[in-house]
Amino acid sequence: MTMHDEQDLRYLKLLAEQYPSIEAASTEIINLSAILELPKGTEHFISDIHGEYESFLHVLRNGSGSIRRRINEVFPDMDTNEKQNLATLIYYPEDKMAMILKEIDEPEEWYRQTLFQLIKLCREYSSKYTRNKVRKALPKDFSYVIEELLHEQESQHNRQQYYSSILDSIIETDRAGAFIVALARLIQRLTIARLHVIGDVFDRGPGAHIIMDKLIEYHLVDFQWGNHDIVWMGAAAGSEACIANVIRVSLRYANMETLENGYGISMLPLISFTVDEYGDDPCELFQPKEATEEFTENEQLLMAQMQKAISIIQLKLEGQIIRRRPQFQMEDRLLLDKIDFEEGTVRVDDESYPMLDMNLPTIDPENPYELSPQEKAVMDKLRLSFQNSERLQKHIRFIFSKGSMFKKHNGNLLYHGCIPMTRQGRLRHFTFDGVAHSPRTFMDRLERLARQGFFANDDPEKKQYGQDTMWYLWSGAQSPLFGKDKMATFERYFVEDPKTHQETMNPYYDYRTDQHVMEKILEEFDVDPKTGHVINGHVPVKVKKGESPVKAGGKLLVIDGGFAKAYQEKTGIAGYTLISNSWGLILAAHEPFESRQKAIEEEIDIDSETKILEEKSERIRVANTDNGRGIKSKIDDLKKLLEAYRSGLIKES
């Protein structure tokens, strides 16, 4: 017997522990073969949520409009208002039902009709899943009854009475309300088989922590890291440069909700330091971008002063990384040592510019990148606060466990930002430690280093390198997550000339409309260029200027349409979601979401315009998916086990 044969036998013996007889192995083969013939589950792709939790939660509840479309199919003769009423009930069952019951005189009849409608919808959704999968999704209190109703055929005369008696019992025992809630949640659960988040949950909006809570409890989700995610990941790992960036961006957009209330990170050390060092500084250049009437003038002034204080600390910490990591090739970002304190100027790209603000009390011209003792004390306290936030640590661990730099799934390639390219339109290759790295191995390396920065607690040097890499991924010139030649933080604050503010996009963004280029990228990641797509976010699609999210002959689908309110003026819409179901690809463009309250009270849904991108003539089955290929492999192994049983190589137990 060869070594290979011995390994196969060892594996089959392990498999035999799970399937200890011919009957058990045969039954599993039959079950798995049946699953292969089921329709492919519906996948939803969403990107650049940026803390807009109300819009995000509503899109999850309505399945990007899928539930409304299914209501139209199942109940074609239903009145339009009734359809919207039913849809809203499914999205927000507790709140909507309470409103309805206040307005009707005969709740029993409404309960009966509503239960009938919801059960009918549930049957449509559950038909795409195995009974076992549906059973696992059922609420424990009602699992037996719901399963009976889902697989009951009330059209059969001899079963009508049985079906009706179940509904009667539900209503008579005063469980109809709870049952409606259970069915509504089941419909939401079955609408989306898998959720793909293509990056940037954090920053801008107020509820990234709420979104993360939802993702953690979601039934099946994967996460492609975005630049705004990686900086929070670095902050949670303890990178002081990332911490400073997270706080600065939060102050710039007048959004401290996630930091303070979401993660319990105290700003008192920074406030105290700010009052001491910048208490008399008007900080006009640092006024929050998104400040509203909810903040007083004094509050806005304090936020501006805090923003200036943390910005100077950030620039110092970044300078330390750049000096520590010459391989990052970011020397052009070292600007604090280019300030002429006597002339009040700064040299940027070998040209001198007047400084807009020379009140820099914590910068030592002789050693501009060293933190003052007070700044060090502030950062020590902030770092401990980030590292000791249980909720933040839980969320970031989830992003590491479910996330990656890129993902291949069902013939598509998912990533947030870009694949770095040369100006000549070629995929950029890199050399590290004498080893050439293709775009794919480059991204694999960056992902490994990011994980090292969070998890390598037994090796401080490795951990530091990993944390520095996370900062590089946030703002480095060749970062696949950032996609620009620089982050002009210093220039935007301190230099008036707009040409110094220019951040040039990676050549990827010039070539991404070229079908040949996108096919090369798909090939690089072992995805079939004929049938596959790149699904991408990061750069909002300017719909109001005529830009299309579908590029490169349909090979590239950009689904950042402006979920964040800060971008909606540019995009003209409020986000895209992509739906991949058993019939093909559907792109949904969403209008702005007003509020949860209006969605419930006035039944104002997110208006979504859908466009069919690809339509299959034959339904896509599980057999044609990644999961299906895994099932086929398992079937092959079980057939080998059967052969081993029948040949006497392994005995049944």
Side-chain angles (χ1 to χ4, degrees), residues 54 58 61-62 84-85 87-89 91-92 95-96 99 593-606:
E54 281 205 339
H58 187 80
R61 289 174 184 271
N62 79 356
Q84 191 57 54
N85 191 274
T88 306
L89 179 69
Y91 309 156
Y92 303 99
D95 302 280
K96 189 61 183 176
M99 287 182 58
F593 180 62
E594 292 204 39
S595 69
R596 172 191 169 98
Q597 185 177 354
K598 286 200 171 186
I600 296 165
E601 293 178 358
E602 301 176 31
E603 299 184 346
I604 298 176
D605 203 346
I606 293 182

Side-chain angles (χ1 to χ4, degrees), residues 16-30:
E17 292 178 11
Q18 191 175 357
Y19 304 99
S21 66
I22 289 174
E23 181 183 359
S26 300
T27 300
E28 185 65 2
I29 289 171
I30 293 166

Side-chain angles (χ1 to χ4, degrees), residues 493-548:
Y493 282 131
F494 293 106
V495 182
E496 185 175 14
D497 193 330
K499 76 180 181 184
T500 66
H501 304 176
Q502 184 65 39
E503 298 170 344
T504 303
M505 301 296 287
N506 188 276
Y508 168 88
Y509 294 98
D510 294 325
Y511 290 101
R512 66 177 180 165
T513 56
D514 186 322
Q515 184 172 338
H516 178 70
V517 168
M518 298 317 296
E519 287 172 349
K520 283 286 184 188
I521 290 173
L522 289 167
E523 286 177 357
E524 165 68 24
F525 288 84
D526 295 325
V527 176
D528 187 344
K530 293 180 181 177
T531 58
H533 309 84
V534 169
I535 302 172
N536 201 185
H538 189 50
V539 177
V541 177
K542 297 179 179 65
V543 179
K544 67 194 298 188
K545 291 188 176 180
E547 187 181 354
S548 170

